[in-house]
Structures are given as C-alpha cells and as structure tokens.
Amino acid sequence: MTLQVYAIFSSIQGESTRSGLPTTFIRLAGCPLNCSYCDTRLACEATGDSMTVDDVVEKVAQHGRRLVEVTGGEPLAQKSALPLMTALADKGFDVMLETSGAFSIANVDPRVRVIMDVKTPGSQMRDKMDMSNLDLLDSNRHELKFVITSRDDFDWASVLIRTRKLAGTCELLFSPASGLLKGEELAKWILDANLPVRLQLQVHKILWPGEENK
C-alpha cells in the first residue's frame, strides 16, 4: 500500500477544537477539487513522493508527537489513506483527518477524529460535496468546518444548520476565508444571529503570515 505524500512536518495545530496543540501533519498530494479559497495549491497540484504506509508511520514516529493529522490536498482521494489512519491509530497516535467532504467518510476508522469541510457557495465547489456525509455525524468524533467568504455564505450555512438540525450533532466551526472576510465581521454576524457555532481563526496564519501551509 503506497501513498503520494507531499510533506510530513510538525507545527502548531491551526484549526479545529485541537487548535494550538503541537501536531505532526501528513500532507498528501493531489486534490480533485478547486476551491476558490484554497491555501494549499502547491500540494493539490503536486504528485508527491511515493511512500508505503509503514514508511509514513515510521516517519511520523520520528517526530515524537502523539497528535497526528492526515490532510491534503484531499486525503480520501487516495485509497491507502484509510489503512494509513488505521495503522496510526494501532500505534497509539491520536489521529485527525481533514477532508473536503467530497468523499464518503463512512469507512474512516472510528478512532479517527474527522474535520470535514461543508462547501459553501463561495467555495465554487458546493456541487462536489457529498451531503450524505451529514447523516453519519457522531458528536464524539466529527467536526464540521464552514469556510465563510461572504454574507451570502453565512446565510446559506445558517439555513443548512437549521434545516438539517446540525446543532448538537457535532462541533460546528465557522472560519473567515483568508483575504476575503475579516474575523471581526464574521464574529458580529455569529453574535447577531445567536448561532450555535464556534468562531475559528487560523492560528498558523496568525503566527506565520504569508506562508503557505507547506
């Protein structure tokens, strides 16, 4: 079992409810989507280096951190991402998956915490979203991330949360799209709407502005 790997590196977790924690990232190469706000285009367009699952696990172990995130690109576009996450969990790592929502999360190891994007209209990829993933949510291991580019995105996401009764099903994260929406503006909308979501700012971009996420 092999994977195309763009980079394996350690950094501070910038998003999700684990924000701020030291994390080893496995960034897989390639993505079939083309989101308007993508901040990892180099990884999405790269072919990466071919590595076996065992090689990746060994490399991660060398970093000496318990928290590991499999990200991309789009990890689930590579079939070997599933056995990779299982192998990491078997070794005792606390595993996270960041995924676009375009692929089913049904077969992700139940020990993995899934942070799944819900593609807003402003992403220009809303039609790629597998909405059946919303029927699989587990409050103990799933988080939904909405990247908000505009007031239209905010209103669309608010309606989706109400109509799909997502409040309470899992953590709901709202992030301002970098360079398109200010965090303070999104915060005001959340307060005014009394929406049961968590405002999420990208810590890594605050710490290291202007750098692509490797």
Side-chain angles (χ1 to χ4, degrees):
M1 293 181 292
T2 61
L3 302 115
Q4 297 305 119
V5 180
Y6 180 73
I8 298 175
F9 60 98
S10 288
S11 187
I12 295 296
Q13 179 62 244
E15 302 180 271
S16 82
T17 57
R18 309 290 178 87
S19 178
L21 294 176
T23 306
T24 298
F25 292 85
I26 305 165
R27 188 174 297 287
L28 300 184
C31 181
L33 279 68
N34 184 26
C35 296
S36 63
Y37 48 69
C38 180
D39 57 3
T40 56
R41 291 201 181 276
L42 292 179
C44 290
E45 296 168 0
T47 54
D49 297 321
S50 184
M51 298 179 67
T52 67
V53 167
D54 289 343
D55 288 341
V56 173
V57 173
E58 182 179 351
K59 183 75 171 178
V60 168
Q62 292 172 6
H63 284 255
R65 306 186 191 282
R66 185 169 183 271
L67 185 59
V68 177
E69 179 174 300
V70 181
T71 184
E74 170 46 62
L76 295 182
Q78 298 192 40
K79 293 181 180 179
S80 293
L82 294 174
L84 169 64
M85 289 183 284
T86 294
L88 289 165
D90 287 345
K91 291 292 185 180
F93 290 104
D94 185 358
V95 186
M96 301 171 64
L97 166 69
E98 185 170 5
T99 178
S100 66
F103 293 81
S104 175
I105 60 172
N107 295 319
V108 174
D109 192 296
R111 294 170 292 180
V112 174
R113 189 163 191 85
V114 178
I115 295 85
M116 182 174 67
D117 277 7
V118 177
K119 295 304 181 186
T120 59
S123 72
Q124 299 177 12
M125 291 287 115
R126 188 180 62 175
D127 62 330
K128 301 293 185 182
M129 176 75 188
D130 182 355
M131 298 302 283
S132 67
N133 280 326
L134 299 181
D135 298 324
L136 304 174
L137 298 177
D138 178 344
S139 61
N140 293 318
R141 65 185 190 97
H142 291 146
E143 301 179 17
L144 291 182
K145 180 176 75 172
F146 297 78
V147 179
I148 307 298
T149 70
S150 65
R151 181 70 203 206
D152 285 345
D153 272 1
F154 179 84
D155 292 340
W156 178 88
S158 300
V159 169
L160 182 69
I161 288 170
R162 288 198 303 270
T163 56
R164 295 296 297 256
K165 299 180 180 179
L166 297 177
T169 60
C170 67
E171 289 280 355
L172 305 176
L173 314 170
F174 272 35
S175 295
S178 181
L180 298 175
L181 180 64
K182 292 182 178 180
E184 55 264 37
E185 190 169 9
L186 178 55
K188 183 178 186 303
W189 295 344
I190 292 171
L191 289 170
D192 289 347
N194 196 26
L195 206 61
V197 301
R198 181 192 297 251
L199 175 64
Q200 174 179 264
L201 302 178
Q202 294 177 299
V203 173
H204 51 291
K205 290 188 177 181
I206 297 171
L207 294 174
W208 300 290
E211 293 187 18
E212 191 190 53
N213 303 331
K214 289 198 179 180

